[in-house]
Amino acid sequence: MANYFAKKRTGFNSLCYLPSLDLCSYESLLLETPVSEVWGVGRKISKQLQDYEIYSCYDLTFANEHHLARQFSVTIARTIRELKSQSCIALDDPAIPAKRILSSRSFASALTEKSIIKQAVIFHVNRAHKRLVKQQQLCACVHVSLYIKIPNPPYKKSISYALGLEYASDDLLSLNCAALKQIDVLFKENQKYIKVEVMFSALHVKQHYMHDLWQPLELIQQRDHLMKTLLYMQQRYGPDCIQVGYHSANPAWQMKQQHRSPRYTTCWQEMLTIDDSALTVTQNK
């Protein structure tokens, strides 16, 4: 909520610290904020919440969390507690492996060329693969979704396709190949595409996974050694020193990110600097 208030509400100057707000100001902000802006709710669930006369964040804050947890999920109940300033959703818990890994972004503008969309897919496969390797997991199924631009709300329609792999793997070559095959199936001429999603599912912990006798064990070992070499090179020479598949820095498929906060701690080009050229320097005698 603080992120939404800082970017969308006037008077915060792009910075919102919720503990500094008094109770009346916080409640008025909740009353004026649609429930769809709550993290984890979104457009679809917000329409279903309207059946329970929940339209704003204030309505959700004082809703029956136990009843909504049975109707939707336990995440809704945790969200209600978070709105009441009860911390119960961890920001990150690396000890719990993910059940699915998703990488998704909207395009800066609608795309009609398959080659550019494939570049975006390769980029997202690489992003998802980094998380897969970090969590020491193997993927057995790759999902790809394309969003078509339509004239009526919600102004986009998704088409999806899933492809199961011959065996669970963290081989970036195989995952890229599986994702690009799905683009050949999903892509249609004379359509405008505005978003792409790549999701890894059917994940297995690499340490506990057992290959059977009918799988190409020699090829699996070769690809595993190749992935270790690729990871070593990226750690030593940087993540962009070598890549699997081609994806350019074409702004057509990247996000606009016009309202992104400056990355002071993670990007050298956006580090906060102080210009002292206009300051007068005096020497004490």
Side-chain angles (χ1 to χ4, degrees), residues 44-275:
K44 293 182 179 180
I45 297 181
S46 64
K47 291 182 179 179
Q48 299 175 23
L49 289 174
Q50 292 177 6
D51 297 335
Y52 300 90
E53 298 185 355
I54 298 176
Y55 302 96
S56 66
C57 295
Y58 185 86
D59 298 332
L60 182 63
T61 303
F62 296 99
N64 189 326
E65 62 182 74
H66 303 290
H67 178 69
L68 292 181
R70 291 193 296 268
Q71 298 298 322
F72 297 94
S73 67
V74 69
T75 304
I76 290 291
R78 292 176 179 174
T79 302
I80 294 174
R81 295 178 185 177
E82 287 280 341
L83 290 173
K84 295 178 180 178
S85 302
Q86 302 176 17
S87 178
C88 56
I89 299 179
L91 294 178
D92 188 18
D93 191 352
I96 302 176
K99 296 181 179 179
R100 292 178 296 272
I101 296 177
L102 175 68
S103 179
S104 169
R105 283 183 182 175
S106 299
F107 302 139
S109 58
L111 301 180
T112 57
E113 297 184 24
K114 184 195 294 186
S115 59
I116 299 180
I117 295 177
K118 283 188 173 182
Q119 292 180 27
V121 169
I122 292 173
F123 171 79
H124 289 296
V125 170
N126 278 269
R127 290 185 71 232
H129 180 262
K130 290 179 180 178
R131 295 175 57 190
L132 186 73
V133 173
K134 184 178 181 180
Q135 298 179 10
Q136 292 293 307
Q137 295 198 94
L138 303 175
C139 170
C141 186
V142 180
H143 301 251
V144 175
S145 300
L146 281 176
Y147 286 77
I148 303 174
K149 184 177 181 180
I150 57 177
N152 301 320
Y155 305 109
K156 60 182 178 181
K157 180 180 70 174
S158 65
I159 51 175
S160 305
Y161 193 81
L163 182 63
L165 304 181
E166 183 181 354
Y167 53 87
S169 173
D170 60 353
D171 177 17
L172 185 55
L173 298 175
S174 301
L175 296 173
N176 259 319
C177 183
L180 293 178
K181 284 182 180 179
Q182 297 179 63
I183 293 298
D184 293 330
V185 175
L186 296 173
F187 182 82
K188 303 297 181 184
E189 297 290 345
N190 302 322
Q191 295 281 4
K192 294 182 178 180
Y193 299 95
I194 58 176
K195 184 179 179 181
V196 66
E197 288 182 353
V198 175
M199 184 174 70
F200 295 165
S201 63
L203 304 183
H204 304 270
V205 179
K206 187 174 183 178
Q207 185 178 1
H208 302 155
Y209 186 77
M210 297 291 293
H211 294 283
D212 56 49
L213 297 177
W214 288 268
Q215 294 176 353
L217 298 180
E218 184 177 353
L219 176 62
I220 293 174
Q221 293 176 356
Q222 292 177 356
R223 290 296 178 86
D224 188 56
H225 180 69
L226 177 62
M227 290 300 105
K228 290 180 180 178
T229 304
L230 177 64
L231 181 62
Y232 171 76
M233 293 181 63
Q234 290 178 341
Q235 290 177 344
R236 181 171 181 178
Y237 301 106
D240 299 325
C241 69
I242 186 172
Q243 63 182 20
V244 177
Y246 171 73
H247 60 86
S248 66
N250 190 340
W253 60 266
Q254 294 183 345
M255 294 181 66
K256 295 181 180 179
Q257 297 181 329
Q258 296 175 341
H259 303 288
R260 186 185 65 189
S261 303
R263 298 170 292 178
Y264 294 133
T265 61
T266 59
C267 183
W268 285 104
Q269 289 74 20
E270 299 178 15
M271 181 178 293
L272 186 64
T273 59
I274 299 176
D275 185 9

